[in-house]
Amino acid sequence: MKELLTGNEAVARGAYEAGVTVASAYPGTPSTEILENVAKYKEIYSEWAPNEKVALEVSIGASIAGARSLAAMKHVGVNVAADPLFTVAYTGVNGGLVLVTADDPGMHSSQNEQDNRNYAKFAKIPMLEPSDSQEAKEFTKIAYKISEEFDVPILLRLTTRICHSKGIVELEDREQVEIKEYVKNIPKYVATPANGRKLHVKLEEKLKKLEEFSNNTSLNKVEWYDKKIGIITSSVSYQYAKEVFGDNASYLKLGFTYPLPKEKIKKFANEVEKLYVIEELDPYLETEIKAMGIEVIGKELIPRVGELNPDIIAKTLLGENKEVIEKNEEKVVGRPPTMCAGCPHRGLFYELSKKKNVVVTGDIGCYTLGSAPPLEAMDTCICMGASISAGHGFSKAAQVNGRETKVFSVIGDSTFFHSGITGLIDIVYNKGNAATIILDNRITGMTGHQHNPGTGYTLMGEVTNEIDIVKICEAIGVKHIEVINPLNLKETKAAIDKAMEVDEPMVIITKWPCVLKKSPNEEIEEYGLADRKICEVDQDKCKKCKMCLKVGCPAISFDSEKGAIIDDTMCVGCDVCLQVCPFDAIVKVGE
Amino acid sequence: MTEKGNILLVGVGGQGIILASKILSKGLLDAGYDVKMSEVHGMAQRGGSVTTQVRYGEKVYSPIIGKGQADIIVAFEKMEAMRWIDYLKPNGKLVINDYEIPSVPILVGKDEYPKDIIKELEHKLDVIKLKAAEVAKEIGNIKTQNIVMLGCLVEALGLNEIDWEQKIKELVKGKYVDINIKAFNKGKQLAR
């Protein structure tokens, strides 16, 4: 049977067909849908882990137990999981183990565009790079065979275009794979220095054999056409190269990109007149090929920044410029992402934006949009969890140097579980005074509503133990904890004012469900979501002061004659603008 | 039968572009084409631009369409048409929804919604314009404007050999099938 699948759906299908029985991940664009789709196969135990390190460790444990297992994450997630990654390369596996990294060239939804192919070489783990959905499925299956044959974990590297593009995939049946026997093996699985030294030697031997495999496998294949131009390429860049050069060049298409097939590369290079390396981001292939003494043209023409596409290849390598219809830039206004109408984060950031002499250290999630105009209530955003720890560092630096700045760290519920807790422990243990605000919107918002330890449901849809954030904070030793409704500006302001005064660790938890969340009935009841009335502007009372525009709600617009206008299809009745209006011109419809 | 084609759908999060392109690509797949479809979401749910690109033919390599390469652009929102117009072939077609969704810089008064976009584009190329939101409202549900646009696209490209009503039945929830088929046929009419 043939189906149109995204790369992410295809990886999930590949895991299913390969007989995987355990999968763990932390959501992150563009990787999220892998586990969401794995969860549809009831034969596989699947879970959201609190972070990527935990996800990989769960998969490692399952592999040692003898099961084929999978961990999936976005590129920066591998940084979090790097610690176990480098050592599991040494220990090897029992059941096949595949780590999927979904890179984001062009940063569609990420804070950097690191090229995780470098991890394969750095961590010494074999890497496969599919170039479309069909290969995403096939390569996933092959990865398990290689993993078990060579006793190594495998890095399956995707990019946004592979993850989120659909292509035709031929579906096959699931292979029935029995769990392997677990045999206690201390020298293999206990990475002490003494064992590690031996394991490293073994790993280098495995890599030699894997290079031989790389030279012989059909994952690395030559397509002969015109030999005037030869192109070495991998991943989606192969598709772009084919699009541009068609039959006018020969290709060495690499699907197994660590260790590289050096013999195959040499042979190919010898037979073509001019050699291009076409790859996205870093000169990963190019550097290795050049180190072999082979002349190639690559990054001196093809940019190492941003996403690649056929246009760039045609322009840089062939000097082609397509005729286009001219776009009038004056008639295009930017459309930056923004907090939704009714977003529970809006009230908090509105109140924070009014405070003077405060610094707000931010984190990764929808609330990073608190840095955008008109609120602009955020000073930093580095990586997941950094809000609290960087906030503590900022605060200590100010304190030690006699500067009076109050630091607020803002972090989401899912992100707090991911890596915020350790930062909070640091503040309490080391007597910091930065205030932590946990924006608990009852779901993992930005990635499209995945459950997390605080929501009470698992990925597989089961009701589960709900981790209580207040109790965690109490257990850590935070004495000042306030749980507030962030849509109530008075309440929000009062909590922030209190934190300004307190010279000890304080946590404010803003608790209100994400406006896009499909809340279960008990939540709809608890928060009174069903009977909220939307807002409208009483045009007679509106003084056109534009105060309501300062909350940056996409449902409010302004007309120089009529004044403020609320879009009744977008408003959900959160009442933040109503509380901001100094003239009571914003009222509830029907009241 | 058209041999190959590059279709670009552009608009704003929440307008139903993803569903329209799902129906489109399923129809092309079942007609025997190689199909690739690329979507950019990520932060789109938070009010950003949304694009999906559908390519079909005997064999498709790149999942994305280059500048000056789209046979047709279907713009669900006016300003998005201008944002993506350089992706259209100089002799390509533009289906444009006469519908405005102001972005945040416009809402907060930093910028104004650009005037006369359709006029300017009509001056440059062959444009099919319609008020899909109004049409959808008349039919009985504003949310069907995506299917009105899809009907328009199918007619403009002459992809008439595919049983689109069947695809709508496969991909739309039961109780919404009839209204969406109505929307689809209305869209086809408007493109004639």
Side-chain angles (χ1 to χ4, degrees), chain A residues 25 59 95 128 139 205 236 256 301 312 323 325 357 363 370 400 403 496 511 527 544 577:
Chain A
S59 305
L128 276 76
F139 286 19
E205 286 164 6
V236 76
F256 189 85
L301 295 176
I312 295 172
E323 196 191 333
I325 297 165
N357 207 20
D363 222 294
V400 174
R403 198 191 285 164
I496 293 171
K511 201 171 174 187
Y527 293 90
K544 299 174 189 169
C577 61

Side-chain angles (χ1 to χ4, degrees), chain A residues 199 285 307 347 375 457 460 493 536 567:
Chain A
L199 290 170
L285 301 171
E307 203 179 9
L375 295 162
Y457 292 89
M460 297 174 86
K493 182 176 182 300
E536 64 182 351
D567 184 336

Side-chain angles (χ1 to χ4, degrees), chain A residues 1-4, chain B residues 19 22-31 147 162-178 180-181:
Chain A
M1 202 174 80
K2 280 180 181 173
E3 256 189 65
L4 264 184
Chain B
L19 176 64
K22 259 187 197 161
I23 296 170
L24 177 66
S25 33
K26 185 74 168 57
L28 293 164
L29 170 77
D30 292 351
I147 307 302
I162 296 165
D163 186 354
W164 294 105
E165 290 192 8
Q166 180 56 35
K167 299 303 134 197
I168 292 172
K169 280 179 197 159
E170 285 170 26
L171 289 161
V172 172
K173 273 189 202 146
K175 61 176 174 177
Y176 298 112
V177 167
D178 289 346
N180 277 296
I181 288 177

Side-chain angles (χ1 to χ4, degrees), chain A residues 195-209:
Chain A
N195 293 336
R197 284 180 205 116
K198 288 174 194 147
L199 290 170
H200 188 186
V201 174
K202 272 192 190 162
L203 175 57
E204 296 297 337
E205 286 164 6
K206 288 181 202 172
L207 289 173
K208 270 189 196 147
K209 284 184 192 150

Side-chain angles (χ1 to χ4, degrees), chain A residues 399-435:
Chain A
Q399 226 177 344
V400 174
N401 294 288
R403 198 191 285 164
E404 273 185 38
T405 310
K406 183 70 186 182
V407 176
F408 287 87
S409 305
V410 292
I411 186 164
D413 47 342
S414 185
T415 314
F416 179 70
F417 293 118
H418 177 281
S419 47
I421 294 174
T422 42
L424 189 58
I425 290 172
D426 193 28
I427 291 183
V428 175
Y429 171 53
N430 288 308
K431 299 183 180 178
N433 69 357

Side-chain angles (χ1 to χ4, degrees), chain B residues 49-70:
Chain B
S49 296
V50 173
T51 60
T52 69
Q53 321 193 0
V54 178
R55 305 192 67 216
Y56 64 99
E58 200 187 321
K59 173 76 191 160
V60 178
Y61 291 105
S62 168
I64 54 175
I65 300 168
K67 283 190 179 171
Q69 293 293 293

